[in-house]
Structure formats: structure tokens, C-alpha cells
Amino acid sequence: WFVEGCGARLSCVVSRRLTEGEDHHVVVAKIREAQVREDYWDGKTFCAPHGKAAFLTFLGSQTFGHVLPGN
């Protein structure tokens, strides 16, 4: 199952918590399984299908970006 509106999901095992707070947690985790909805995968690239909303992506070094749907 997928959370409504999500194109992918990860199953992770948390090995330790680095910080705890009311608004967020920073954890160290290992990905056990990853799945993507078929309409978000073209066999090579993860991308929102035409007409779907943009999604957030991590670019590294504390930088995030967004990916717009393809044409």
C-alpha cells in the first residue's frame, strides 16, 4: 500500500536516533525495501507522470529541490 499522493515508499530499520524534537527526528537507518508506483517509473527514471503534482527530492549537502511532471 502507498500513502495517498505518494509515488514511492521505503521500508527502513532505524539503528539509532541522532536528535529528537517536537517537530522532527534525525535518525540513522538502513533501507530494507523500496517500491515505486508504476505510473512514476518509466523503467529507468523516477518522475511524476504528466498531470501529477511535483515532488520533493534531496540534492545533497542540505539542499532540496522539486521535480516537475514530464510532458
Side-chain angles (χ1 to χ4, degrees):
W1 58 268
F2 286 86
V3 174
E4 186 176 339
C6 290
R9 65 179 176 192
L10 301 174
S11 173
C12 302
V13 175
V14 175
S15 59
R16 68 178 195 239
R17 294 179 190 200
L18 301 178
T19 64
E20 292 188 37
E22 290 183 26
D23 296 333
H24 68 279
H25 298 271
V26 177
V27 300
V28 175
K30 182 175 184 176
I31 298 171
R32 297 287 186 179
E33 181 180 1
Q35 296 176 331
V36 63
R37 286 183 16 190
E38 287 184 20
D39 56 336
Y40 279 75
W41 185 251
D42 68 4
K44 184 177 179 183
T45 306
F46 177 71
C47 188
H50 183 68
K52 299 277 184 160
F55 60 89
L56 184 67
T57 185
F58 180 66
L59 302 173
S61 188
Q62 300 179 358
T63 305
F64 289 87
H66 67 279
V67 178
L68 299 174
N71 292 325

